[in-house]
Amino acid sequence: MKTIPPLCPEPEVGPKYWRSLDQLADQPEFRHWMEREFPAGASLAPEGESRRDWIKLMSASFMLAGVGSFVGGCRRPEETLTPFAKQPEGYVHGKPQHYATSMPVRGSAVALVAKSYEGRPVKLEGNSLHPDANGGTDHFAQAALLNLYDPDRAYRHTQAGSDVKVEVVRDLLSASGKKFAANGGEGLAFLTERSGSPTRNRLQDEIAKKFPKSKWFVYEPVDFSACGRALSVLFGADVQPHHRLEGARRILALDCDFIGTEQDAHRNIRGFAKGRRSSDDQMNRLYAVESLMTLTGGNADHRLRVRPTDVVKVAAQIGVAVLAKAGISGELAGTLQQLAAGSPASAAWAQACAADLFQNKGAAVVLAGYTQPAAVHLIAQALNAVLGAFGPALVAIKSSENRADGSISECVAALKAGLDTLIILGGNPAYNAPVDLEFAAAAKKAKNVVRLGYYEDETAKLASVHVAAAHFLESWGDARTGDGTWVPVQPLIEPLFGGFTEIELIARLLGLDKVSPLDLVRGTFGTDDAAWRKFLHDGHLAGSAAKPLDFSAADLARVAQALAAEKPVAGSGYDVVLARASSVDDGRYNNNGWLQEVPDPITKVTWENVILISPTTAKELGISESANAKDGQYRQHLLKITVGSRSVQGPVWVQPGFADHTFGLALGYGRTETGRVGRGSGFDAYPLYLDGSRHVATGAKAEVVPGRHLVAVTQEHGLMEGRPIVREANLEQFKTKPDFAKNMDLESHLPHYVPFKEKPDGRNVDPRPQNIYEHPYDQNPSTASKIHQWGMVLDLGSCVGCNACVLACQSENNIPIVGKDQVARGREMHWMRIDRYYSHDPEAVVTSETAANDPQMAVQPMFCQHCESAPCESVCPVNATVHDEEGLNVMAYNRCIGTRYCANNCPFKVRRFNFFDYNKRETDYAGAQSQHFFNYGNLYKGPAGVNRNEAPEWEIIKLVKNPDVTVRMRGVMEKCTFCVQRVEQAKIAQKVKVGNSGDVAVPDGGVRTACQQVCPAEAITFGNILDPDSAVSKLKRLPRNYSVLGFLDIRPRVTYLARIRNPNPEIAKIEGRTQPDTLRDYERFRHESPFETHGHGPAHEEKHAAVVPQKGAA
Amino acid sequence: MSDIFPKWTNKLPLMAGIAAVVVGLTVTAGITYYFTPKYTRVGYQPKQPVAFSHAIHADQLGMDCRYCHSAVEKSWFSNIPSSGTCMNCHSQVKKDSDKLQLVRDSFASGQPIPWIQIHKTPDYVYFNHSVHVNRGISCVHCHGQINKMDEVYHAKSHSMAFCLECHREPEKFIRPNELVTKLDWVNEGFDGKKAVHDWKVQPGQSCSTCHR
Amino acid sequence: MSASTNTSYGLLASFETPADIMDAAIKCRDAGFTKWDVFTPFPIHGMDAAMGVKKSQVGWFTFAGGFTGFFTGMTMIWFMNSHDYGLVVGGKPLFTPLYAFPVSYELTILFGSFATLFGLLFLNRLPRLHHPLLAVKNFKKATDDGYFLCIEAGDPKYAPEVTRTFLVEQCHARLVETVED
Amino acid sequence: MAATAPIAVPGPVVKPLPQPHAPKPAALKVGEAPRELERQPLVLNNRSIGWITDAIAGICEKPMPKWWWPAFIVSAGIMSMMFALITYLISTGVGVWGLNQPAGWAWDITNFVFWIGIGHAGTLISAVLFLFRQKWRTSINRSAEAMTLFAVACAGIFPVVHVGRIWFAPIFLAPIPNANTVWPQFKSPLLWDVFAISTYGTVSLLFWYTGLVPDLATLRDRATGKIRKIAYGFFALGWTGSNRHWSNYEKAYLILAGLSTPLVLSVHSIVSFDFAVSVVPGWHTTIFPPYFVAGAIFSGFGMVLTLLIPLRALFKLHDIVTTRHLELMCKVILATGSIVGYAYGMEFFIAWYGGSPYELYAFKNRAFGPYWWAYWTMISCNVISPHFFWFQKLRTSALFVWCASIVVNIGMWFERFVIIVTSLHQDYLPSSWGYFTPSWVDVFTFVGSFGLFMTLFLLFIRFLPAIAISEVKGVTPQADPHHPLGGAKGHH
């Protein structure tokens, strides 16, 4: 038989994300698109030589698609395999390659390792070789990958609005370079983003040399430099801070969300979590004084809620107390005394806090947030100096950035004075410059505006020449991380749309001989090839970290002087905080679907920003209705906030724990010129962002505007209802009964006649009741692996809830975004969610008003618990979800028919159903349908809607998919797989390594799940629970270890370590919070305490086994 | 006027019974034919752009499979050799053969040769070559006696049942690693059971082994 | 038309009331006829005894079917979920009769019901779409309000004239007609 | 012949016997049972056997009354709407319904359980009442059985279309050998459902058809057109009314009734296992099987009444479907409604007594949570409304009974909705709590299922005898050879 029988092709599971690039290049639609998108016939027309480049660069040639949908013909399509004509050296098809690179951010950088398949980066990880990193990253770094494959990015160069070839841009740059070389740079100005790139610094110096009259302005709307400026005052030199929170035992955060939205948050999380994990007397203690409810506040042991303009008063009040303890008097103390006037914090609170800080001199640090004025930063640095923070917890290092000639206001002044050419490198000042500067109007005065931009955004509209920028994964470059270490930026792919890098553009302007970015970086690095190779391989230059400045250079008097000159604005009316958005930053990630859809860590709002207010403020404004979902959807009141003559309008969000008389607005939304993802998401808060007040405006007025606005949230209920889901205790309590977490919920109440299993099964730590049937693993030993049994421990003590894992999981596992409308309907697809619970004790005496306004917060990452006796499995009628030999609850997507019974029967509700073809059909992104009953979005159009698989530009976005993971189609259930692809790859790698031998066990740490790998807090540990020495086994043996809903006897393979809080006993007394509120709730609902013996359960059993001698001793 | 049904209609029940049996058998056979070998494509033998003979290269010349399929031990994918690989020899041997024109063109122009894919697993199956050939599973088990084929055809079924056959009883198939490319090897005294035990060969039979 | 053939199927006698036909049936039984039957629009209580019909054997079919169903269910489930491909599902045993019971139970009933119906058809030799009696115009009342008794020509004691007389005189049939085959 | 008499006009009486009882007996006479103790006759006015044939068979022989066509067109239109919406659902995704993450099931399975519950009365009336020799069943069993089949058809649609990938469902659910060697998973109650529902549908069909055969023969023999002759003749299988056949037939019918009775009980028990076998608080309840069966009978009788009361009015069948029939059915509703009410109470008691705070919360949430309105609708309809049937006056008022039967149906739909949605929307982890709101597709698909039901029912009364002819005949005194009306002479 020479032909195949005419078979009906199998309907595919999920769309095919990429077919042979060759095939792709041959499609007429694609050709058409390419021609349209690259009208200048730029670098990548897939013909002849260029075609080979194309194939080389993204040679996904073998990954053939099961083409067509199931309605197609009945004959199996003939598919071709197109190998390389000439195989690249050392290339093994099908093996992923890893390259070290880094993501530059605002003068700092995140050191990364990028995984590349067939020349296509598919996953970014932190570089654990970097001296100041642990392999974790923040969520922005995870999502940055999606920007690379954004079909809405700037894909062309334009002059006066029309497309131009790349040569035109090159000529134009060198021509204008020549022009300005002649006049010394008269009329030339640069407006750039912050950068610590040594190469850019070098080029900036050369610009200054070649064009001495040119100006160099640096502008960031969310500028983290305030801390550095205060530090520079203290040290009398241009320095920047480098926090080492792992060395801090007491931390005071003054409106500083250092684990959320501050610079290098993932580093801070690492340090903070390290000091948290010990759960003993070495454990750190965090005081947060803040206006917004932030992750930092949620993780704090004590949180003081004050309006932003009052933070300085509290800071000063604590400062006075610390100085008094240190015996320092004089100008500083006097100024502080003045500033402290009218502080909302009680004297006792401030005294107790100060005393605690001072007692831990040498291990206490004070942090001030970027929204706060210089005064607060000066106080913070003064306190750091007094508390001996410099060295152990904080160092001042030489600033990695060059000095600039000013910022945006100077730039506007220069524009008004008349500029010939303004070169805008990155940024988006037309959108995010302080609105009173009227940047756009000023920019129009310049003759030429050359703009290098990643998107054709608001600023692009102003540009006479717009140059498409390259993504950092397409660029050669360099940067410095927060500790000053020099890191390379390495491309993994040729610029998809022929974009320029910043340094190349500058170099062309300078008229340098070698303008390729690689040469430029090499020019900075030097000629040592071996060192260069090591630099690239390691992803950093060893020993290049900046030397900390000697503390002897610090002078408090300078601070005192500077502080005396500061006149912080007093709050009046309502304060407005304009904060960096946890999702879209200052607006730069506005078109990133992953970030748009990742819920805010506190509010759980997706796809937009809201006006945060406290319940009290809500009452004042006459918004009686609390933020409860009505009919499952949040239809929020609209509020109009006016500061001076400017106002913004947005939906209200009543946020527990939020400061009174304060509005919290996230920046970065409401963009007018953005891609299809960001279009229509949120409202623009920049109109209140003024040059003078920047992040905190005061004297605001507010009025409720008629109408309602739909807000999409991923978590509707925020209270634990007394259920011991997150189990926590204070450190003092924990010491009295370390296994308290095992003594909670119904599992501690088994009637005495329920027998326990005699023999431990070797997998579960805690004794379990004897079932009528043995588990098949025990009954039919052939069904269980004796080599690996996988398990995970999640330490709630160190998890801070930063969302990095959510995005890492999304990136690794090809999780689609669903759009605001679907989120509002409760159909988000994230396999990993971070549950956020508030708790308050109605009987507690708290510092301000009602307890409900000052809740405690607890976070808990929740995902498939891989229950050994999984309720989801037994209800599946088609065997689509079963257990494999190694304890993984697996999903066979191609078997699933989508009854959703498994999701219903999952006690953790972690299963996600593809209600629509989210991969194939375009969602509505931020555009939400107005009601539940009738719906008419894109997804609802079904086959009549746009099929992404057929739209040529989607070939680009499909490249982001991880080829190791099936892309799921509609009607299929999915959920966390424990990164089964990584597990299998590790097992295969080990087997390949050992060949014909029996050493097939993957060594501990050989498999790292995506969430584990990204976690800066190292809160997630995964491994083989059969190996008693594995990290995960050790953690599971800790007394803090417990299973959520353990009483169901479903034996989750994911267990949690109870969270330990470390409050200051004195303040706890003041607050009346002698134990965590969740625990108090539990005791109130259940009439029992985990610290008392009761019932019959695992904790007691263990006691019988192990603690009997102690009884005798007692 | 008479009874509406003629006498022969009394045979209808019998005929219906026979028809039911026939239809039942046909449907069963049809299902077996259409559904069972859904992915097997056994016998598929497309005409390749270059008339490459495995029989000549692997059998007569005794070349090892891994000379051309060099990634098979390292990657999930067993690569098709590049034109360059062909030219390693064919720049010397038969360098003017008409049959090799396409190879020479490809090598010169960089245009890949569009080989037609024969063996293919569905997209949701993550088959890995390296783990099989490094753990004593020979090419022959899945691909048949390629070394005897002038034109390659699909010899084995590649259905899930086919995979499970070996995953359930690896001892029947396993051989020492160094023999995996010896497609003619006949087992004389190699103790598969012992190898399975000593090498801890425990091929997965649950979903995650192949579906992710 | 069966008129072309000379063979007759038998004699059809019609009656007016259930009581009449009951009497006639008793007489026929006592007269020793074997190939004869009574046709009524509804089952008449006591007619079986009157005709001397034995107890129905349908139950045996039901039993066989039900037993097969239960056995099929249990075996199928054991084979599929435990023997052929034992996957670990929900930490429950690969096979226990407990979880196999509901399906086996349903199959018992399903197979039993089919067996009953097919048993009924088999015992009654139905379907039989063509029947000489159905060609008799008067016989249409057999499904309305007529009561009939037919003695077939194949009966050993059948003798056309004698039997007709027997039916008219002994059984008080209102009308007796010859049914063509 | 009576065949020409219009059905509305009473036909001739067989024999001019005096009425068995005087209209108003002045006093009790010795040897005569008091009237209250005497059974009401099942067919009133001493109708002849021929009249019964004419009355019932006449319905499907004469042209349909004027209302039939509009009713049929409307029903068929609504049914077409359902199929259009199902096409939309299958082509676009389950997302067109209002389902979401905590509520993976809502109207789909609610409708399924609702219809399957309705489908219980038919077989129950037929089988159980047959076993208990309740002769009054004869006038309602046929239409009730038909209703069962149509309700099962409606019920069957929902679990089939609610799956995400319907095109795989038949292949993966059926235990057929395949190249993947993967089999269905028999621990799943959903698979039990597949077997239970298909068995129920099949056996109900067999039972119904077995009962139909003699009546089809009647229709065959009365048919005038060729098509009707062939069609009825084909399905009548050549039935002659032979007593040798009747003998086997009665036995087989008895056996089928005997098989159907445990089947009825098992089917709704298995449907209840969908919930009872899970871990969801509010579902994980051992009381479910009896509670569901009682609820099913409750709703099934409700639906029988909803259909039968207009039917008897429209076709003037008051002599066959008598007030006594209505009353008896009301009593069944009263009994099963009380069982259901007891189950509601017992659920709460056990939730409290069981000591699981999760369970207790689930029940509190039912009554006082966001879906309180659904819960109290259910309570008013199912627990309170049946108790009106304690009053004979109400039981015998056809209009009241009809309204009450609709209320019962509404209540039973809400019962399933309450069980499914309120349990799912707030279960163990408060973080995943949500709320379900239906979409227009949910609502109109459900409405459409009534279209299917009514279309089938209208076709049924158009072409098939809505009342079991031979069985009704069998319970008249004229059919008894030992009764004077049956021709018995002398020995009365």
Side-chain angles (χ1 to χ4, degrees), chain A residues 280-310:
Chain A
D280 56 18
D281 288 334
Q282 292 306 306
M283 195 176 163
N284 68 25
R285 178 176 296 154
L286 170 60
Y287 298 90
V289 177
E290 61 178 17
S291 49
L292 307 172
M293 180 79 198
T294 66
L295 276 181
T296 307
N299 282 286
D301 297 299
H302 294 289
R303 178 171 181 276
L304 196 64
R305 184 169 66 95
V306 296
R307 60 189 292 176
T309 44
D310 281 351

Side-chain angles (χ1 to χ4, degrees), chain A residues 867 870-876 881-883 888-890, chain C residues 88-91, chain D residues 185:
Chain A
C867 315
C872 52
E873 291 172 359
S874 50
V875 298
C876 173
T881 184
V882 299
H883 249 61
L888 265 60
N889 172 262
V890 296
Chain C
V88 179
V89 171
Chain D
Q185 204 277 98

Side-chain angles (χ1 to χ4, degrees), chain D residues 88 91 142 155 157 214 229 259 267 286 367 406 436 464 479:
Chain D
Y88 175 50
S91 66
R142 170 68 44 72
I157 284 176
K229 271 188 180 170
L259 287 171
V267 169
T286 46
I406 289 174
F436 166 82
L464 292 172

Side-chain angles (χ1 to χ4, degrees), chain A residues 719 723 745 825-827 835 875-877 879 895-901 904-905 909 915 933 940 970 1086, chain D residues 88 90 95 97 99-101 104-105 108 162 164-165 183 185 188 274 278-279 357-358 427-428 431 440:
Chain A
L719 299 174
R723 300 179 177 186
D745 214 353
R825 290 170 200 275
R827 295 172 182 173
D835 291 346
V875 298
C876 173
N879 261 330
R895 180 80 189 165
C896 178
I897 58 170
T899 67
R900 301 183 296 289
Y901 198 176
N904 291 341
N905 209 25
K909 290 285 172 283
F915 283 98
F933 193 69
Y940 290 87
R970 99 176 130 89
R1086 301 284 176 90
Chain D
Y88 175 50
I90 292 170
W97 284 345
L99 301 172
N100 57 22
Q101 227 59 262
W105 289 346
D108 45 1
H162 97 291
R165 303 200 302 166
W183 301 104
Q185 204 277 98
S188 169
D274 279 349
S278 78
V279 296
Y358 301 91
D427 67 342
Y428 287 105
S431 63
W440 67 279

Side-chain angles (χ1 to χ4, degrees), chain D residues 43-361:
Chain D
V43 177
L44 298 181
N45 294 335
N46 268 327
R47 301 301 190 184
S48 75
I49 287 184
W51 180 88
I52 294 170
T53 315
D54 291 341
I56 301 171
I59 296 175
C60 45
E61 286 167 348
K62 282 195 248 331
M64 274 289 118
K66 278 194 187 118
W67 56 263
W68 191 89
W69 275 108
F72 179 75
I73 288 166
V74 169
S75 303
I78 295 173
M79 175 184 74
S80 315
M81 174 184 75
M82 178 185 72
F83 286 116
L85 288 175
I86 286 173
T87 311
Y88 175 50
L89 172 87
I90 292 170
S91 66
T92 304
V94 180
V96 301
W97 284 345
L99 301 172
N100 57 22
Q101 227 59 262
W105 289 346
W107 279 46
D108 45 1
I109 302 301
T110 302
N111 298 345
F112 160 62
V113 184
F114 170 73
W115 278 120
I116 205 77
I118 285 175
H120 273 59
T123 308
L124 191 97
I125 288 169
S126 245
V128 180
L129 299 187
F130 183 79
L131 293 182
F132 286 118
R133 303 291 178 204
Q134 296 294 306
K135 289 187 174 165
W136 60 276
R137 74 182 261 288
T138 52
S139 48
I140 53 170
N141 75 325
R142 170 68 44 72
S143 54
E145 281 169 44
M147 193 197 76
T148 290
L149 289 172
F150 308 149
V152 169
C154 292
I157 284 176
F158 287 97
V160 170
V161 303
H162 97 291
V163 302
R165 303 200 302 166
I166 190 173
W167 45 94
F168 280 132
I171 310 171
F172 289 172
L173 286 171
I176 46 171
N178 57 76
N180 299 340
T181 73
V182 184
W183 301 104
Q185 204 277 98
F186 284 93
K187 294 180 191 81
S188 169
L190 219 49
L191 198 65
W192 303 348
D193 258 3
V194 170
F195 279 83
I197 302 302
S198 51
T199 301
Y200 185 60
T202 313
V203 173
S204 298
L205 185 70
L206 295 185
F207 190 46
W208 180 69
Y209 180 64
T210 308
L212 260 177
V213 167
D215 292 358
L216 288 169
T218 305
L219 289 172
R220 173 198 64 198
D221 292 343
R222 291 167 58 93
T224 46
K226 193 166 183 187
I227 296 175
R228 277 184 172 247
K229 271 188 180 170
I230 292 178
Y232 289 129
F234 183 81
F235 287 106
L237 305 176
W239 182 263
T240 52
S242 146
N243 192 64
R244 293 175 198 277
H245 289 184
W246 277 121
S247 169
N248 287 323
Y249 176 89
E250 284 198 282
K251 184 77 171 187
Y253 198 78
L254 179 71
I255 289 171
L256 283 177
L259 287 171
S260 299
T261 306
L263 178 64
V264 173
L265 301 182
S266 76
V267 169
H268 227 56
S269 297
I270 287 176
V271 169
S272 81
F273 288 163
D274 279 349
F275 310 107
V277 165
S278 78
V279 296
V280 180
W283 282 12
H284 181 73
T285 315
T286 46
I287 200 175
F288 266 13
Y291 157 21
F292 267 54
V293 170
I297 298 165
F298 181 59
S299 67
F301 272 87
M303 188 56 104
V304 171
L305 284 171
T306 310
L307 290 175
L308 216 55
I309 291 174
L311 189 74
R312 93 176 176 147
L314 288 164
F315 291 108
K316 308 276 190 297
L317 295 173
H318 297 78
D319 287 353
I320 297 174
V321 183
T322 65
T323 306
R324 182 175 158 220
H325 287 115
L326 301 189
E327 248 195 291
L328 286 167
M329 285 196 273
C330 288
K331 284 178 185 167
V332 174
I333 286 186
L334 178 57
T336 49
S338 304
I339 296 174
V340 167
Y342 167 80
Y344 295 160
M346 194 43 84
E347 276 187 328
F348 265 83
F349 171 73
I350 293 295
W352 168 78
Y353 186 71
S356 165
Y358 301 91
E359 194 78 11
L360 187 57
Y361 181 87

